[in-house]
Structures are given as C-alpha cells and as structure tokens.
Amino acid sequence: MNMRPPMDVQRTAAAADHPVPDRHGSNLYSTDLQLEPLLRLYLPEQVHAHLQPYLQRMGHLAGGRLDELALIADKNPPTLEHRSRTGQDAQRIHKHPAYVEMERVAYGEFALATMSHRSGALGWEGKLPPLAKYALTYLFVQAEFGLCCPLSMTDSLTRTLRKFGTPELVEKYWSQLTATDFEDMAQGAMFMTEQAAGSDISNTQTLARPNADGSWSLTGDKWFCSNPDAAFAMVLARVEGAPAGMKGISLFLLPRQLDDGSTNHYHIVRLKEKLGTRSMASGEIRMEGAVAYLVGEQGRGFVQMADMVNNSRLSNGVRAAGLMRRAVAEAEFIAQERHAFGKALQDMPLMQRQLDKLRIRAEQARTMVLQTAQALQRSDAGEEGGYALLRILTPMIKFRACRDARMVTGDAMEVRGGCGYIEEWSDPRLVRDAHLGSIWEGTSNIVALDVLRATRREGSLPVLQAHAAQLLAQTQAAPAFKAALEQAMERACALVQSATDAGAQGEHLARAAASALYHCFTAIAMAWEASHTQCLQRMRWAQLVLLHRVLPRDPLSVSAVPADWA
C-alpha cells in the first residue's frame, strides 16, 4: 500500500524545508560589524555616543520599512500633470505616497539635507560633523538610492548659496532651505546639462539678460534636470554679450515661485524614463524669461558651480559605497544560509574567494567615505592642506567607487542565483541604480582627469602623499607589508605626477593613474584602521587590495599573501 503523501503536499513540505533566505527585517547598522568600530575611530567620542540611537534607528528602518517603501516607489515612478482638472496650466509632479514617506524620514526625521547648515540637528548642540550625515546616508541608501539625489542637491545648493551668494540673497531664502518642519522644507536642484553642453560646460547656450530690478531673465533649455519641481535650482547660463568659453558662464539661483506667489517662467517639458533611480523624477526644463538671481561673481559660474558639483560627487561616492555594502551583505547572508551539495555556500573555497573580491571593493569605498568626510571637515575648518586633500580625494572616490559598484552589485546578485534576477528582491534595483554613479556629476573620464587637475592646480598630490605617510607611520603591521605599501604608494604618485607633467599627452594615463592612487591609498588607510580597531580581518583585506588590485601577478600562477606580511 502506497503511504506517500500527495505530490502537492510533498512540494509544499520541500519549499518549507528550503525557503529562499530572506534578510529583510534585519538592522543594517547592528549587523554591520565593521561600521561601529570605524565610526568610533573617526568621530569624536561624544558625537559617536550621541549618534548611536539615530544610527540604530536608521539601520532598523533601512532593513525594514524603508526597504519596503523603496520597492514600492521603484515600481510606481512619478508622473507629470500639465493641467489641472479645471483646465488651468498648472504643472505638478505626482509622487507615490511611498516616496513621500521616505522623504519625511530623510528630510524630516533625520535632517539629512540640513544638518550641515544649522545647529541642533538630531538634538546635538551646534553643528554635527560631515561624517554624521554621511554615516546616516550610508545606511539610508542601502534601502533607497533615488531620493539621495535630491537630498544631496539640496544640501549642496544650500552650501553653495551660503558660500557665494550676497548676504541679501542668502537672507531671503535661507529659512526655507534650512527649515526644521518637513512641510516647510524647500528642496534644491541643479540645472546644468544641455544637449550641446554635457561635460563641455563652455558650450552652454542658455542666455541670461539683466532686469531693471537687479534680477536676471533666463532663456533656454536644460536637458537633464533631476528633482525638476524643486523650490530652488542652481543654473548655469551665459550672460548676453559675454565672451565665448568658460569666462562667459555665470551661476544663478532659480526659484520655482516668484515673490508674488506665482509660478516662475519655466516649465517641465517631460520626465525621463531612466534605467535606475525610478522613484525620483528627472526631466527636461524650458526657461522662457525665468526670473533668477546672480550667485557670486559674474563670469565665474563654473568655478562656483564646481563647489556644488564636488559636494555632489562626494555624495555619489557615499551612495556607491552604501550600494556595495548592501549587495555584499546580501551575498554574505545567502552564502551563510544557503546549502548545496551538503555544505553551506560560505564554506566552499571558490565562494570564499568570490566574496573576498566583493568585500575588498566595498571596504575600500567605505574607507574612502570616512577619509573624505574627514578631509571635508578639515577643509571647512580652514586647516592647512585640508582643501588640497579634499580636492583630490573627491574625484578619486567618485571615479573608482562608482565604477566598482557596478561590478559588485552585479556579482553579488549572482550569489542569490535566479531569485536575484527577480524584481521583488533588492538585487536588480541595486544593479540598475549602481550605473548612475559613474555618469552623473561627471563621467569616469571626466573625474579621472580631475585627479590630474587637482594635482596640477591645487598641488594636491604631495598633500595626499604626506597624509598617507602619516597614516602608515601610525600603523602597526608587519614591516614587509608596510614597506610594500610605501613602495606602491610612491609608484602610484610617480605615475600621477608623470601623467600630470605630460599635459595633454599624459591624459590617456588618467584612469590608470587615478585607479592606482585610489588602490594604494585605501590599502594604507585600511591598514591604519585595522591597526587602531584591532581588526585582523580588515588588515587581511588591506593586504588583498595590494595583492589583487595593485601589484603585478601572473594570472597562470597561484597567488597568496606573502608569508612575511603576516
């Protein structure tokens, strides 16, 4: 007599015995065993202690509710309404309630766009250091990437306005940009790209004409504008009659609403259908005599806009680091929970090797976030060498971390297998969003060349080399490994200097030189971190960075960490 249960019961039992491992609901801060010790190393003790409940709260949200909202918002992108139901020409971008709820968390509960510009954020007396904002963003972006673009632009616009705007202009709009109530908060944007002027800003065609009241009228099209319905945007335009090239470009603040409450004279032509960042609106803008206000000195628009762009580039690097961390954590969880052929995936030698390749890229980016945030704080404080260090670290992280994120998110998706290709999991969204970083705010070629530009114009290379040497001197590690790090850094700096000295003839070396500098510096900084946090695992990752991403090796031979590095 056949006593076997029916086939559908057998299948249900098999599925129950072998569910797809699901990490949803975990706290992305408390489960990240590297982050808290690193923040303790980089942050002042009192700030570190004060931030703990906020980091725990963000980690909890990012692993749960924010992750749910991000998936919903990704599947329900914003839509553009051109007219009201009564027939009035009144444009409005409809955002899904899931996106608005995430805005309330980021802008309202955690003040991510304003904490660098006002005292009292998160209950801290005075202003929190930049790393506080970036640490929270690093957790937030592991759930939602698209919203981080408006957050960054709002933060950067406020910074640029404060730095270059007249006292009257700053006073006029400051309270809106730094409001503490979410309902009163103004968001920012950056309208820079034109069809004929992508990376070549000197070819900007938008015209600016002076008005009798001291304002300006802008006319022209901007081709790619994220957060196009923002309350304010920084815009590049050519003053009518100004000379050709960069000297004719000026920077303007464009309000969405005029002083009388009416809508300014520009409209959104259409929204873009993008590969990633689907939750957040990007569109095309046509200005038809739009009222704007000059920011800073006429004819120095690109120099002033560069401050905003560089701040956005750093944010891009933070986002790339966060994406990689989420992807690696998902892959590690799958490898721990999933069994095949009688073993956990994480116990299989080939999987261990593949996970290490993902980890070292993610950890390099994390270290660059910490180091660059610290450099930003030094620069803003006016410390000697602070700006020069920030000026070279920013394009380094924007170039290399954003490119690494594309590979890491793709390879981590493979660990989950076929389920990783399904849109109900986070993996496809991470892959799609990761491709943004190496395009916006400067493509890979542009930012690699900017590393050379920082060396040539700001004298940044010797400052970076001295900083690396100081970190290395404070590192306790095997003498042979320290010597290898020192020699590699010297060679990387020599390559950068050689490419810089060669002028246009050396530009073909920019990517190789920037990569070499990134790998050597992060290996040194990771070794320094490992030494001060007593983390043997982090020291091993620093060794793997040098071994696999810097030093020459024979692909037909077996490579291993040299015995005298131990």
Side-chain angles (χ1 to χ4, degrees):
M1 183 176 182
N2 186 0
M3 299 297 292
R4 296 180 66 188
M7 187 58 70
D8 58 342
V9 175
Q10 293 181 46
R11 288 172 179 159
T12 301
D17 290 341
H18 301 282
V20 178
D22 189 351
R23 187 168 165 261
H24 180 75
S26 63
N27 187 310
L28 302 191
Y29 179 64
S30 60
T31 58
D32 184 348
L33 301 183
Q34 293 286 322
L35 185 53
E36 191 277 330
L38 287 172
L39 292 178
R40 194 186 319 130
L41 175 63
Y42 280 91
L43 287 170
E45 184 177 353
Q46 288 184 319
V47 175
H48 173 266
H50 182 81
L51 287 177
Q52 290 310 301
Y54 297 99
L55 292 163
Q56 290 286 352
R57 166 73 173 158
M58 182 66 89
H60 170 72
L61 288 171
R65 181 58 178 163
L66 284 174
D67 199 38
E68 296 168 359
L69 295 170
L71 181 61
I72 296 170
D74 184 69
K75 293 180 180 297
N76 296 274
T79 58
L80 175 62
E81 177 186 277
H82 289 283
R83 307 188 85 192
S84 71
R85 67 180 183 179
T86 61
Q88 292 179 310
D89 289 330
Q91 288 192 320
R92 180 185 175 190
I93 292 179
H94 292 275
K95 304 172 183 178
H96 193 275
Y99 183 86
V100 176
E101 188 175 337
M102 291 191 293
E103 284 185 309
R104 289 183 179 277
V105 171
Y107 283 97
E109 182 176 348
F110 287 93
L112 294 180
T114 58
M115 72 164 61
S116 292
H117 310 292
R118 62 177 175 83
S119 300
L122 305 186
W124 179 257
E125 186 177 349
K127 290 182 182 178
L128 286 163
L131 183 52
K133 171 181 64 184
Y134 292 127
L136 289 163
T137 302
Y138 179 80
L139 291 168
F140 181 89
V141 76
Q142 291 182 47
E144 163 61 12
F145 184 94
L147 177 55
C148 288
C149 181
L151 280 169
S152 170
M153 290 192 297
T154 304
D155 176 32
S156 300
L157 180 146
T158 306
R159 173 188 172 91
T160 300
L161 177 62
R162 181 186 61 195
K163 191 170 182 178
F164 298 110
T166 62
E168 295 78 17
L169 189 62
V170 173
E171 182 180 2
K172 183 176 183 179
Y173 294 123
W174 190 255
S175 61
Q176 296 178 57
L177 288 165
T178 59
T180 57
D181 189 331
F182 174 73
E183 303 300 336
D184 300 326
M185 288 180 178
Q187 295 188 23
M190 180 168 55
F191 299 168
M192 185 166 62
T193 306
E194 299 182 10
Q195 285 177 289
S199 299
D200 185 6
I201 301 300
S202 64
N203 204 29
T204 294
Q205 302 297 309
T206 298
L207 284 180
R209 297 181 176 91
N211 297 321
D213 63 358
S215 66
W216 295 72
S217 293
L218 304 186
T219 303
D221 286 12
K222 293 295 182 180
W223 179 245
F224 209 110
C225 306
S226 289
N227 211 24
D229 63 339
F232 300 98
M234 285 291 183
V235 184
L236 288 178
R238 183 177 301 283
V239 172
E240 190 173 40
M246 288 293 191
K247 292 183 179 180
I249 306 299
S250 296
L251 181 63
F252 298 88
L253 181 70
L254 179 74
R256 182 71 172 142
Q257 286 192 318
L258 300 176
D259 292 344
D260 62 5
S262 63
T263 302
N264 206 346
H265 310 300
Y266 68 92
H267 67 275
I268 305 167
V269 178
R270 62 169 178 167
L271 297 185
K272 302 284 194 180
E273 186 175 352
K274 299 169 292 182
L275 172 68
T277 63
R278 293 176 179 174
S279 62
M280 181 267 301
S282 299
E284 299 166 25
I285 296 290
R286 175 163 294 163
M287 293 169 284
E288 298 165 320
V291 176
Y293 301 94
L294 182 68
V295 176
E297 184 179 345
Q298 186 174 321
R300 289 181 58 81
F302 178 73
V303 174
Q304 291 151 182
M305 176 65 100
D307 184 77
M308 182 173 179
V309 170
N310 283 333
N311 211 45
S312 295
R313 284 177 175 175
L314 171 53
S315 177
N316 243 315
V318 175
R319 285 176 258 165
L323 287 182
M324 282 190 274
R325 169 59 199 167
R326 172 68 188 274
V328 171
E330 292 290 327
E332 289 175 332
F333 181 79
I334 292 293
Q336 173 184 311
E337 298 296 325
R338 191 75 170 171
H339 289 70
F341 313 110
K343 289 183 179 180
L345 297 186
Q346 68 178 7
D347 294 331
M348 297 178 178
L350 188 55
M351 178 59 74
Q352 292 172 348
R353 180 178 175 86
Q354 294 308 110
L355 288 175
D356 268 341
K357 286 186 175 182
L358 302 181
R359 289 180 184 121
I360 62 172
R361 286 166 169 80
E363 295 303 329
Q364 283 181 273
R366 192 199 313 245
T367 290
M368 279 296 288
V369 167
L370 298 166
Q371 286 286 326
T372 312
Q374 195 175 60
L376 174 60
Q377 184 175 356
R378 289 180 54 195
S379 176
D380 286 349
E383 290 186 25
E384 184 178 357
Y387 175 74
L389 183 61
L390 175 67
R391 184 64 185 82
I392 196 167
L393 288 180
T394 299
M396 282 168 62
I397 188 174
K398 168 65 169 72
F399 168 54
R400 193 65 262 168
C402 291
R403 290 195 62 80
D404 283 350
R406 292 159 57 174
M407 186 280 279
V408 169
T409 54
D411 284 8
M413 179 171 67
E414 186 179 341
V415 177
R416 183 168 262 129
C419 287
Y421 200 66
I422 306 303
E423 289 283 355
E424 63 189 3
W425 297 91
S426 63
D427 307 77
R429 191 171 75 249
L430 294 176
V431 171
R432 288 188 280 104
D433 288 346
H435 281 72
L436 174 145
S438 55
I439 297 175
W440 289 9
E441 276 87 49
T443 59
S444 298
N445 284 354
I446 293 297
V447 288
L449 288 167
D450 201 35
V451 172
L452 305 188
R453 192 176 297 112
T455 300
R456 182 171 59 253
R457 294 182 180 177
E458 275 77 43
S460 295
L461 188 61
V463 176
L464 177 63
Q465 196 166 12
H467 178 58
Q470 184 180 31
L471 293 176
L472 197 55
Q474 297 169 357
T475 299
Q476 293 182 346
F481 179 47
K482 291 183 67 172
L485 287 169
E486 183 178 18
Q487 293 164 11
M489 187 67 184
E490 288 177 355
R491 293 181 62 197
C493 290
L495 179 61
V496 173
Q497 192 63 61
S498 176
T500 303
D501 292 343
Q505 299 301 314
E507 289 183 355
H508 71 286
L509 296 171
R511 292 170 75 114
S515 292
L517 202 59
Y518 177 89
H519 297 324
C520 292
F521 175 72
T522 52
I524 289 172
M526 288 169 69
W528 173 81
E529 291 167 346
S531 175
H532 287 266
T533 59
Q534 303 299 307
C535 181
L536 294 177
Q537 188 179 39
R538 196 159 198 82
M539 187 67 76
R540 176 174 168 272
W541 290 336
Q543 293 169 345
L544 292 179
V545 170
L546 196 61
L547 184 66
H548 291 293
R549 309 205 73 185
V550 178
L551 299 181
R553 59 191 182 95
D554 183 355
L556 302 181
S557 66
V558 178
S559 61
V561 174
D564 59 358
W565 286 11

